[in-house]
Amino acid sequence: EMIGCSQGENGESDKVMILTNNSKRDYYRKFLNESLPVESFLNVFLHDAFLNEISTGLIKSRQDCIDWLTFSYFYRRLQANPSFYGVKDISHVGLSSYLTELVESTLNELSEAKLIELEENDEDEEEEEEEEEEEISPLDGALVASYHDVSFITMQTFILSLTRKSKLKSILEIITSASEFDSLPIRQHETSILNKIYNRVPIKSSSDANFESPYLKAFILLQAHFSRLNLPPDLASDQRFVLEKVLTLLYTAVDLLSSEGYLNAMYAMDLSQMVVQAVWDTDSPLKQIPFVDDATIERASKYKVESVFDIMSIEDDERDDILRLSERPLNQVAEFVNKYPNIEISYSLDLSEPIVSNDPKRIVVNVTRDEEPEDLEVVAPFYPFSKAENWWVVLGDSQTRQLYAIQ
């Protein structure tokens, strides 16, 4: 690794000197001059690969799966090192049988997870030759997984766990149980620290608290972000890793819930806003403004200032008394306020003809903004990544909790 990192200026080759014992010289020379084989783990992640190819239409049948695998590096290593993959018969028939079994088991698991639909092949050979029908078709979950690049295990968890009755707390637990957080490190000295943070955050786990679980750690760190708690450097780095993954998972949850017509998809939308602005859904909207804390919100209540628009409309001396900031932080507040979206929503629905159940009906929604922004980048001082504005237009019934349309 040290030799690989050694590089001269402008990409030129460099020289490396290794000081070692004479007895180890041949040992190091062997590894420097002979390349090590790199094995493929495609068979472990085959579900994810098939989901992408099925969603794009590249794979439409079982035979397409076999053909696709024969062009992979996995197939080359399968012949070169069959024992690594548990293959006993390396003949053409043996390899074909292994691949067929692997493809069939993978497709069956995808079908059982309600990500794809498999059609049985009961047609005669003559009919198959005349017309090749699609055996594999993607369902909504496969399209969502492919679009957001979410793993098969995570999609399986989401589909089984996200229901019409899922509230904000349960969605938060489900999101942080995604397999994307498997690589979140658990250090020996962190158990007591995580326990202290866990006692300070408002939402508790529905299961027993296992502080050696990466999922509980993600659950705690995400709440620490909403509460704006100061963390040690190691945990702050882990929290950044969680924040990098969580928005994509929330968008996936929104798409899955809305595809089923569940209006509680709006809880996942609320969570995405909570992630970006590092606030709880019960916090004052003023907390989104940079440098605004609880003391600032308390001073704002004296002037009956409850929203960002109230801050924009009050007198300058009142605003200065509330914020009490120097010039540079005040400029950042002004940048946030100027970018804060002020929108109006209107809709039109043709009622000249009666609305019939289960028949499509067109509704035109107009979203207007008072000023055209210079850019759509969000001012979010607690979110460590650049973020562009995202909007959802949702049409639903709050009484029946039914979602009719989303854009």
Side-chain angles (χ1 to χ4, degrees):
E1 184 178 351
M2 294 170 61
I3 294 175
C5 294
S6 175
Q7 187 175 2
E9 296 181 358
N10 301 322
E12 298 176 357
S13 60
D14 207 349
K15 294 182 179 179
V16 177
M17 179 180 291
I18 300 177
L19 302 178
T20 183
N21 297 329
N22 188 48
S23 59
K24 291 186 177 181
R25 185 178 61 181
D26 293 336
Y27 172 79
Y28 285 119
R29 182 183 297 170
K30 173 184 168 106
F31 283 99
L32 289 176
N33 296 331
E34 298 180 11
S35 58
L36 295 173
V38 178
E39 299 298 341
S40 171
F41 289 89
L42 180 62
N43 56 326
V44 180
F45 301 98
L46 193 57
H47 303 81
D48 301 328
F50 277 1
L51 276 179
N52 288 328
E53 304 303 341
I54 293 171
S55 300
T56 57
L58 184 64
I59 290 179
K60 297 180 180 179
S61 65
R62 292 171 173 82
Q63 185 58 45
D64 290 343
C65 296
I66 301 292
D67 295 341
W68 185 85
L69 280 174
T70 57
F71 287 97
S72 65
Y73 179 70
F74 166 68
Y75 185 70
R76 301 295 182 274
R77 294 305 305 168
L78 198 63
Q79 301 174 74
N81 190 8
S83 60
F84 181 84
Y85 303 96
V87 179
K88 298 180 180 179
D89 185 1
I90 59 174
S91 65
H92 178 74
V93 176
L95 290 176
S96 178
S97 176
Y98 173 83
L99 292 179
T100 301
E101 183 179 348
L102 179 63
V103 166
E104 195 65 30
S105 63
T106 303
L107 293 178
N108 287 334
E109 290 177 5
L110 292 175
S111 179
E112 291 172 2
K114 299 179 181 179
L115 293 171
I116 63 171
E117 186 176 9
L118 290 176
E119 295 182 7
E120 298 296 333
N121 287 331
D122 295 330
E123 299 179 356
D124 297 334
E125 293 183 0
E126 296 180 358
E127 294 180 356
E128 289 181 356
E129 293 177 358
E130 293 177 359
E131 183 179 357
E132 181 181 355
E133 295 185 0
E134 293 186 2
E135 301 174 11
I136 307 170
S137 55
L139 299 178
D140 289 340
L143 299 175
V144 171
S146 177
Y147 181 80
H148 293 292
D149 193 21
V150 177
S151 71
F152 160 71
I153 298 175
T154 297
M155 289 301 300
Q156 199 174 27
T157 303
F158 284 9
I159 290 174
L160 293 174
S161 304
L162 292 171
T163 65
R164 184 190 298 272
K165 297 181 180 180
S166 298
K167 304 292 184 181
L168 189 141
K169 174 189 174 182
S170 59
I171 293 177
L172 181 61
E173 280 195 276
I174 294 167
I175 291 297
T176 51
S177 65
S179 64
E180 277 72 8
F181 298 124
D182 286 345
S183 57
L184 194 61
I186 301 295
R187 304 174 185 89
Q188 292 182 353
H189 65 279
E190 287 180 347
T191 303
S192 60
I193 301 175
L194 289 174
N195 192 8
K196 292 178 182 178
I197 300 173
Y198 183 69
N199 292 331
R200 295 180 61 184
V201 296
I203 300 179
K204 307 304 178 184
S205 175
S206 59
S207 58
D208 294 336
N210 177 15
F211 294 104
E212 294 183 356
S213 167
Y215 311 121
L216 181 64
K217 183 176 181 178
F219 182 70
I220 295 172
L221 292 180
L222 202 53
Q223 291 191 72
H225 175 66
F226 300 153
S227 303
R228 300 185 178 181
L229 301 179
N230 292 323
L231 300 175
D234 288 345
L235 288 181
S237 175
D238 296 339
Q239 187 184 64
R240 180 185 174 92
F241 172 82
V242 172
L243 294 176
E244 185 179 13
K245 303 283 187 182
V246 73
L247 274 187
T248 300
L249 298 172
L250 285 170
Y251 295 158
T252 303
V254 170
D255 288 346
L256 286 177
L257 289 169
S258 59
S259 65
E260 296 293 330
Y262 299 155
L263 194 59
N264 60 344
M266 297 183 68
Y267 287 124
M269 299 177 192
D270 292 339
L271 277 169
S272 66
Q273 180 68 7
M274 291 162 58
V275 167
V276 174
Q277 294 297 348
V279 294
W280 286 99
D281 58 332
T282 55
D283 287 339
S284 168
L286 295 174
K287 210 168 182 180
Q288 300 176 88
I289 303 175
F291 306 104
V292 170
D293 52 18
D294 293 335
T296 308
I297 295 173
E298 186 176 351
R299 291 194 298 268
S301 63
K302 299 178 182 178
Y303 297 98
K304 297 182 179 180
V305 173
E306 298 178 348
S307 68
V308 178
F309 299 112
D310 294 338
I311 280 283
M312 299 166 64
S313 60
I314 61 176
E315 299 296 332
D316 291 345
D317 55 344
E318 296 177 343
R319 186 185 303 112
D320 293 340
D321 181 51
I322 292 173
L323 297 175
R324 298 180 184 179
L325 297 173
S326 58
E327 183 178 356
R328 187 172 180 180
L330 201 59
N331 290 335
Q332 296 184 42
V333 172
E335 181 188 6
F336 174 87
V337 171
N338 292 333
K339 282 190 171 184
Y340 194 78
N342 184 11
I343 64 171
E344 293 183 1
I345 300 178
S346 61
Y347 70 92
S348 59
L349 179 63
D350 184 12
L351 297 176
S352 59
E353 298 180 359
I355 300 177
V356 181
S357 177
N358 295 327
D359 281 359
K361 190 69 175 180
R362 182 180 180 84
I363 180 170
V364 179
V365 180
N366 293 314
V367 181
T368 56
R369 195 167 185 160
D370 58 348
E371 294 182 4
E372 188 71 24
E374 295 181 1
D375 57 68
L376 294 177
E377 187 172 354
V378 176
V379 179
F382 288 90
Y383 188 69
F385 309 100
S386 61
K387 176 72 173 63
E389 288 184 14
N390 281 340
W391 295 86
W392 284 286
V393 178
V394 179
L395 176 64
D397 189 334
S398 59
Q399 294 182 346
T400 61
R401 307 299 297 168
Q402 184 72 27
L403 185 145
Y404 300 123
I406 184 172
Q407 182 65 39

